[in-house]
Amino acid sequence: MEYQNILFEKKDNGVAIVTFNRPKALNALNRATLEELADVVENIKKSDDVRVLILTGAGEKAFVAGADIKEFQSMSPLAAKRFSELGQRIFFELEELPIPVIACVNGFALGGGCELAMSCDFIYASDNARFGQPEINLGIIPGFGGTQRLSRLVGRARALELCLTGDMIDAQAALEIGLVNQVIPQQQLMEATLEVANLLASKSRAALRSIKQVIHKGLGVDLRHGCAMEVDAFAVAFSSDDAKEGVAAFIEKRQPKFSGSLDN
Ligand code: COA
């Protein structure tokens, strides 16, 4: 598929960057952009060569300013249902990718943009970033998982406050409520994000995948079941060449060289 609304770049070490590229519309997610994102995610799932994914927005103003409101004008309730289902399906696929996914939020992350960032594993935000679920101001509600992921991330009261008022919060406030992991000056945001992505790309791919799966799945079950999943995943980790290499490297006082394989 040829992309019109996003840029896709892959570096030699397997770090890939998706840039939402509709700066005139503050990178709003129209249907075509969502379909292109779905294609990227599908390709990453099928191939083995992307080890870490970064999502960001083109320009200095916006990550993604939401779903494309212009497409809402003629949307029937049934079309709205399909649109919400489409967005949710893609965001689940993104969330469930077996590799780390980092949101590099370089400006407005509103509505679908905030929901997109919350579907990533964690968020680094520029100091000018703004977060919010402003759908209430359009007389509608979040539709790409915002009511659910936000409350799980920041708690019921803060999620209700944000969704009911529709107010934006700045990056510092987002940091204080645990929505973002770090606030970074805008000019250094991508460099700092890449530094972490490069570090992750050097680690055991199988172990990264396992940690991600156990944390995500564990949050959906009670503590005992989550810990039981960890026991199984811990045992499986010992079957990998990467585990042998990591432990041997520690004992031999050298840096480990992980294979990048998911098969062992
Ligand atoms: N969908 C479609 N177009 C959008 C958009 C969106 N979600 N957000 C911004 N745009 C467009 C604007 O319509 C404008 O286009 P135009 O120049 O053709 O009129 C352009 O992006 C620039 O936006 P503008 O509003 O002029 O910038 P601003 O700096 O004054 O305000 C925002 C920035 C983000 C506060 C404002 O654009 C906004 O509130 N956007 C909507 C956010 C939202 O409600 N998202 C949830 C959607 S469910």
Side-chain angles (χ1 to χ4, degrees), residues 68-83:
D68 193 318
I69 299 169
K70 287 167 189 159
E71 288 189 351
F72 286 176
Q73 256 189 326
S74 56
M75 206 177 259
S76 68
L78 192 56
K81 184 169 194 279
R82 289 207 200 96
F83 189 63

Side-chain angles (χ1 to χ4, degrees), residues 155-182:
R156 188 179 67 170
R158 293 201 193 279
L160 278 163
E161 189 180 20
L162 281 165
C163 291
L164 296 179
T165 63
D167 284 349
M168 287 188 241
I169 55 171
D170 64 19
Q172 192 55 40
L175 179 71
E176 280 157 22
I177 63 173
L179 181 57
V180 313
N181 286 44
Q182 265 191 69

Side-chain angles (χ1 to χ4, degrees), residues 22-30 61-62 64-72 83 108-113 115 130 132-138 140-144 166 168:
R22 301 182 70 217
K24 285 191 185 139
L26 303 187
N27 306 322
L29 297 174
N30 58 6
K61 200 166 164 185
V64 167
D68 193 318
I69 299 169
K70 287 167 189 159
E71 288 189 351
F72 286 176
F83 189 63
F108 291 113
L110 303 174
E115 291 165 312
R130 299 277 180 283
Q133 295 292 158
E135 291 86 351
I136 186 79
N137 299 327
L138 302 171
I140 58 171
I141 77 163
F144 292 170
M168 287 188 241

Side-chain angles (χ1 to χ4, degrees), residues 22-192:
R22 301 182 70 217
K24 285 191 185 139
L26 303 187
N27 306 322
L29 297 174
N30 58 6
R31 195 179 183 86
T33 309
L34 278 175
E35 280 164 1
E36 290 176 20
L37 175 63
D39 190 69
V40 169
V41 171
E42 192 55 34
N43 287 337
I44 292 176
K45 242 175 27 182
K46 279 196 246 150
S47 80
D48 254 5
D49 55 353
V50 176
R51 302 185 62 155
V52 181
L53 179 63
I54 296 172
L55 301 188
T56 195
E60 299 205 329
K61 200 166 164 185
F63 172 66
V64 167
D68 193 318
I69 299 169
K70 287 167 189 159
E71 288 189 351
F72 286 176
Q73 256 189 326
S74 56
M75 206 177 259
S76 68
L78 192 56
K81 184 169 194 279
R82 289 207 200 96
F83 189 63
S84 174
E85 285 170 345
L86 173 73
Q88 290 202 7
R89 179 175 62 72
I90 297 166
F91 287 11
F92 270 121
E93 300 216 332
L94 181 69
E95 190 173 63
E96 287 163 10
L97 276 176
I99 57 169
V101 181
I102 309 173
C104 179
V105 174
N106 56 312
F108 291 113
L110 303 174
C114 188
E115 291 165 312
L116 176 65
M118 290 191 290
S119 306
C120 298
D121 292 318
F122 49 86
I123 302 174
Y124 291 153
S126 58
D127 44 8
N128 67 321
R130 299 277 180 283
F131 295 81
Q133 295 292 158
E135 291 86 351
I136 186 79
N137 299 327
L138 302 171
I140 58 171
I141 77 163
F144 292 170
T147 58
Q148 305 305 304
R149 285 197 179 85
L150 189 59
S151 50
R152 281 162 175 76
L153 275 170
V154 305
R156 188 179 67 170
R158 293 201 193 279
L160 278 163
E161 189 180 20
L162 281 165
C163 291
L164 296 179
T165 63
D167 284 349
M168 287 188 241
I169 55 171
D170 64 19
Q172 192 55 40
L175 179 71
E176 280 157 22
I177 63 173
L179 181 57
V180 313
N181 286 44
Q182 265 191 69
V183 180
I184 299 162
Q186 177 158 58
Q187 294 312 319
Q188 287 139 44
L189 176 67
M190 182 48 82
E191 193 188 329

